[in-house]
């Protein structure tokens, strides 16, 4: 019984945090996409185990709900990173040039993010 209650509370917390993350992601996506004006399809907020975000070939964007625990500059970096994959589906120089248009210190953010392990 006790265990079950804890599981349910965990689930409720997750759903709440996921909705918080969704609102934040949409807000930042709209902000940055006023500049980029790329076309994306759906935005999913997921409980991902090993990544912060991804972009599908179909143009869907996925984000880990845990991004709400990150500092603002890292959230913005992640949003811009996935947004720029809509145009450049790789990590080549053209991709980083796009990212740099709005996140000048993207190298620092990229490094900082690598040091944070997803739990
Ligand atoms: Zn990437």
């Amino acid at each position: 019984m006790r265990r079950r209650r804890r599981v349910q509370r965990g689930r409720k917390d997750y759903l709440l945090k996921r909705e918080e993350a969704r609102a934040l992601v949409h807000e930042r996506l709209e902000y940055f996409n006023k500049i980029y004006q790329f076309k994306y399809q759906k935005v999913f907020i997921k409980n991902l185990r090993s990544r912060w975000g991804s972009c599908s070939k179909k143009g869907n964007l996925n984000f880990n709900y845990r991004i709400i625990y990150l500092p603002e500059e890292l959230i913005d970096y992640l949003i811009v990173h996935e947004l720029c994959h809509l145009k450049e589906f790789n990590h080549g120089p053209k991709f980083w040039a796009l990212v740099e248009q709005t996140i000048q210190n993207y190298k620092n953010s990229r490094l900082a993010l690598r040091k944070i392990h997803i739990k």
Side-chain angles (χ1 to χ4, degrees):
M1 269 315 260
R2 198 178 293 158
R3 189 164 169 233
R4 193 162 149 208
R5 249 199 317 266
R6 192 153 60 217
V7 169
Q8 279 171 347
R9 194 168 61 211
R11 173 91 187 142
K12 207 174 156 196
D13 282 350
Y14 163 64
L15 293 175
L16 270 170
K17 292 297 172 194
R18 192 180 65 180
E19 290 320 300
E20 260 180 63
R22 197 190 308 281
L24 181 66
V25 163
H26 279 281
E27 198 256 314
R28 299 317 282 158
L29 270 175
E30 276 165 37
Y31 174 84
F32 285 110
N33 212 28
K34 280 197 182 108
I35 300 155
Y36 291 112
Q37 309 211 310
F38 297 150
K39 282 209 162 48
Y40 53 87
Q41 302 297 322
K42 289 176 181 167
V43 179
F44 296 103
I45 309 297
K46 296 177 178 175
N47 184 5
L48 302 170
R49 287 289 164 197
S50 60
R51 55 205 311 192
W52 292 106
S54 65
C55 174
S56 79
K57 293 241 167 174
K58 288 180 189 162
N60 295 329
L61 301 174
N62 304 297
F63 292 96
N64 195 321
Y65 84 96
R66 292 173 186 81
I67 68 166
I68 50 159
Y69 299 111
L70 294 174
E72 229 171 87
E73 71 263 25
L74 295 188
I75 298 172
D76 281 355
Y77 163 74
L78 280 165
I79 299 281
V80 167
H81 185 121
E82 298 313 331
L83 204 50
C84 289
H85 275 319
L86 293 164
K87 188 82 190 285
E88 292 290 329
F89 213 83
N90 55 59
H91 294 123
K94 282 185 187 167
F95 170 78
W96 292 114
L98 273 176
V99 171
E100 199 173 23
Q101 283 178 22
T102 56
I103 312 285
Q104 278 83 37
N105 65 345
Y106 72 88
K107 284 180 184 165
N108 292 341
S109 296
R110 197 178 187 211
L111 267 175
L113 218 44
R114 277 189 185 159
K115 289 178 189 158
I116 302 170
H117 294 280
I118 298 170
K119 276 189 290 217

